[in-house]
Structures are given as C-alpha cells and as structure tokens.
Amino acid sequence: MPAPTPEALAHSQRLSALLRDEIAAAGGAISFERFMELALYAPGLGYYSAGARKFGAEGDFVTAPELSPLFSRCLAVQCAEVLAALAGGDILELGAGSGVLAADMLKELARLQQLPGRYLILEVSADLRERQRRTLAEQAPAMLAKVEWLERLPPAFSGVIVGNELLDALPISRFRRAPRGFDEFNVGVEGGRFVWCLRPAPEELRAALTTLETSLPQPLVEDYRSELCVRLPALLYSLADLLTRGALLLVDYGYTRQAYYHPDRYMGTLLCHYRQRAHDNPFLYPGLQDITAHVDFTAVAEAATAAGLELAGYATQAHFLLALGIAEQAGDWRGAREVKLLTLPEEMGERFKAMAFSKRLDLALRGFSLHDLSHSL
Ligand SMILES: C[S@@+](CC[C@H](N)C(=O)[O-])C[C@H]1O[C@@H](n2cnc3c(N)ncnc32)[C@H](O)[C@@H]1O
C-alpha cells in the first residue's frame, strides 16, 4: 500500500485516538457497525466528513458518474421520463459525492427540456457539500440556482429520488454463524492496534439474522461470516414515507439475497478502497480509506415494499444503461470505451444493479424495458 503523507497520517492518528477513546469508554469493544460509522462519518475526521480526495483517478475509487458523463445522461433520461409523467416535480439526490452526477444530469435534463423544479441534495458530509458546490459552479453554472442543499430529509417530496453508491456506504454489522446463534464482530484494541473480537449478537441483530436465515434455501454453516445492514429498513421507510408521488432510483453493487448469502461467499463482502487498491482490512489508516459492503437487493425490495412503495424494476447496470440509450449516446471512440467500462460484465456491467420503486406513478420505467430481473429477487 502506498504510504500516506505525514499530514494524512496525522489526520488518521487523530481519528484512531477518537476510536480508541470510544472503545475504552464502552468497556473494551464497540460493534464494527459503530467503528465503520465513526471511520466514515465522525464529524471533521471521518473518511467522508473530512477533506481527502476520495473520488476519481487521483482518489481511492472511481464511481460510474466519475468515469463517464454517459452514466449521468442515461439517469437523466430516466428522470425526464418520470418528471414528464408527473407533469413536473423535483429531483432529490442522496449522497452526491463530488457533485458530478448532479452537474451532468442537470445539463442533460436542460437539453431534454425536462428540468426539475429544484435539484435537492442531501449530503451528510460538510466537506463534500462544499466540493459539490464547486463542481456545479464550474461545470454547470447556469444550473446552480436550481440546486439546494438540505440538512435533513424533507417532510414531503414529489419527483425522483436518486442514490448512486449510497447504500454501500451505510455502516453494516459483521456476524459469524456460531454453533448456536450468532456472534457479532466487535472491534477492540491490543497494543494500541485495532483487533477483531467476537461477542454474542445483541437482540436486534440476532432477531434480524434469524429472520434472514429462515428465508435462505439452506441454513448458514458454522463459522459462516457476512454482513447485514440493520439501518436499511429505517432509511427506506423514511424515503417511502416522504415520497408523495414519483420514483426512487438506486444504483449500487450487490446481489439478490440468495447470491449474497451463498455458501461460497463465506467470508462476506466487506471491501476497503485505498488509493485505487481494493482490500479487506478496515483497520488500515482509519479516515483515509473507504469501507463498504455489497448490497442485499432482496432486503432493499422487501423493506421498500413493506413501507408502501411498488417495485418498478431491477436490472444489471448494463441492461439499465442500454435500455436508456447509452450506445446511441456514445458517439466517438472515447464514448465507446466508456460504454464498455460501464456495461461489460467483467467491468461494472453486472456487479452493479439498478433498482427502482414508484408511488402513485402509472409508468413502466424505460430503464427496465430490456431485461427486468425482479422475478429473481
Ligand atoms: C460511495 S459515495 C458515492 C458518491 C456519489 N453518489 C458517486 O456516485 O460518486 C457515498 C456517498 O453517500 C453519502 N452518504 C452516506 N450516508 C448517507 C445518508 N444517510 N444520507 C445521505 N448521504 C449519505 C456519503 O457522504 C457519500 O457522498
């Protein structure tokens, strides 16, 4: 791994000290979920809350909107279709990263003559909010007046809610199937270093894991390790609750539940990104690397439909973008290269999925017209 600069290392040490204090105050260990929450979002220190580069070629990882404006243009085509069906409405983007998705979508929506009333952004990171404002001012200055940053979810919303790689950034619980019941991975400290330690899963997690296991075709084998996002239902419930009319569109890497908890995936999906290297050590340079887990799309569909949304489609990113005309949008050779990166199975095409939900919207979404995999959930 490339060594961080002395400045970055000092930053990481400050966050590590905060984590060690919290572990000591909790009596020697905290859940991994809490560790991940602080590592990513501790005010002023967490990976997303503080000022590291993160996205793009010079950062730690590249997301689809960073890779090519073609991705954002296709999302704009899908949003335009919904906004037209609603005869107006807003867009709400959750976790807007560098702001490039917002800038490219707004430019395309202007070209399609289907601009939203407002483009709202909910971003938990103050540092990223600033970066988004700069990106929009540089790349889409004429659109800046449409954009509003929110401190919290609005009480009611009509239009399209968009989240690209939002769900993979939610803190997750790590568990292990014990001979009887489940253990939760906690984080302790030994000799100043973070170490894993196992504790019996607390009640809420144990109940969620028991429900999960009974929904699988076979029980999990002893010592099977994976993750579960306990926060997911509450987030989807809030989104379903505030959406009065329109659609929710989520794009992320993940699987159906059966594939996620397949016996072969016995070490789970926890993944860290540091300077374009993917690895599985979440204790490396806290605050300087991203920590993620894949998304259980069956859990997303269950939680959203239980909260009153209608499943509108589930497709691979490749099929979703092709249905929205990415091939026609591509144009020159550079475009063709970007289409390959976004759609080929060995690149982002199959690992990433798009999932949409609707409420009081009478529309078959174009993004799922090529190959809808909803039946596989
Ligand atoms: C992996 S990044 C993806 C950024 C961007 N969407 C992109 O595709 O480049 C995850 C983003 O979600 C934000 N985030 C995490 N939890 C959130 C929440 N509960 N509400 C809104 N944003 C959140 C992070 O601060 C970050 O901007």
Side-chain angles (χ1 to χ4, degrees), residues 167 212 215-217 232 250 254-261 295-305 309-316 353-357 368 371-377:
L167 301 179
L212 163 75
S215 72
L216 295 173
L232 189 69
L250 300 163
Y255 314 107
T256 61
R257 176 169 297 147
Q258 272 205 37
Y260 197 110
Y261 297 103
V295 174
D296 170 359
F297 276 105
T298 307
V300 178
E302 281 177 1
T305 51
L309 295 178
E310 229 175 276
L311 178 63
Y314 173 60
T316 63
K353 314 286 191 313
M355 180 173 258
F357 300 92
F368 304 96
H371 197 170
D372 191 341
L373 292 171
S374 295
H375 63 275
S376 69
L377 292 163

Side-chain angles (χ1 to χ4, degrees), residues 306-354:
L309 295 178
E310 229 175 276
L311 178 63
Y314 173 60
T316 63
Q317 175 169 295
H319 284 128
F320 181 70
L321 296 179
L322 288 166
L324 291 166
I326 192 169
E328 297 76 52
Q329 291 246 17
D332 57 10
W333 67 269
R334 182 165 170 261
R337 194 184 139 263
E338 290 171 5
V339 173
K340 282 187 190 162
L341 290 172
L342 291 167
T343 61
L344 283 180
E346 63 275 24
E347 301 286 350
M348 297 177 91
E350 283 193 359
R351 208 158 34 95
F352 282 75
K353 314 286 191 313

Side-chain angles (χ1 to χ4, degrees), residues 253-274:
Y253 41 91
Y255 314 107
T256 61
R257 176 169 297 147
Q258 272 205 37
Y260 197 110
Y261 297 103
H262 190 275
D264 289 349
R265 198 166 277 117
Y266 57 89
M267 291 301 281
T269 71
L270 188 73
L271 205 60
C272 306
H273 296 274
Y274 174 68

Side-chain angles (χ1 to χ4, degrees), residues 128-278:
L128 285 178
R129 276 201 288 269
E130 223 9 75
R131 176 131 170 235
Q132 291 154 13
R133 200 183 300 277
R134 281 201 307 275
T135 304
L136 280 151
E138 282 161 21
Q139 299 186 17
M143 297 296 142
L144 203 51
K146 289 252 165 227
V147 185
E148 274 175 46
W149 281 265
L150 305 180
E151 290 295 326
R152 59 188 67 81
L153 287 172
F157 175 86
S158 169
V160 193
I161 307 176
V162 177
N164 185 58
E165 290 205 35
L166 164 77
L167 301 179
D168 72 69
L170 297 180
I172 43 87
S173 304
R174 267 199 91 199
F175 69 88
R176 176 185 86 121
R177 186 70 170 92
R180 247 175 287 152
F182 297 94
D183 290 332
E184 180 180 31
F185 281 90
N186 279 227
V187 182
V189 179
E190 252 176 48
R193 291 170 169 267
F194 298 114
V195 290
W196 291 112
C197 43
L198 286 164
R199 298 263 167 98
E203 184 48 34
E204 189 193 3
L205 178 61
R206 197 187 59 76
L209 289 168
T210 306
T211 308
L212 163 75
E213 192 173 45
T214 48
S215 72
L216 295 173
Q218 68 284 314
L220 299 169
V221 294
E222 197 180 317
D223 205 34
Y224 187 93
R225 293 150 193 235
S226 192
E227 310 83 32
L228 182 125
C229 186
V230 178
R231 301 171 184 225
L232 189 69
L235 174 66
L236 290 163
Y237 184 85
S238 315
L239 298 178
D241 193 41
L242 67 90
L243 185 65
T244 48
R245 230 187 133 200
L248 164 65
L249 176 59
L250 300 163
V251 183
D252 225 307
Y253 41 91
Y255 314 107
T256 61
R257 176 169 297 147
Q258 272 205 37
Y260 197 110
Y261 297 103
H262 190 275
D264 289 349
R265 198 166 277 117
Y266 57 89
M267 291 301 281
T269 71
L270 188 73
L271 205 60
C272 306
H273 296 274
Y274 174 68
R275 311 265 287 270
Q276 307 298 333
R277 287 160 180 82

Side-chain angles (χ1 to χ4, degrees), residues 41 48 55 63 65 94-97 122-124 128 164-166 168-169:
Y41 304 110
Y48 282 111
F55 316 103
T63 61
L94 305 171
L122 179 70
E123 174 57 65
V124 288
L128 285 178
N164 185 58
E165 290 205 35
L166 164 77
D168 72 69

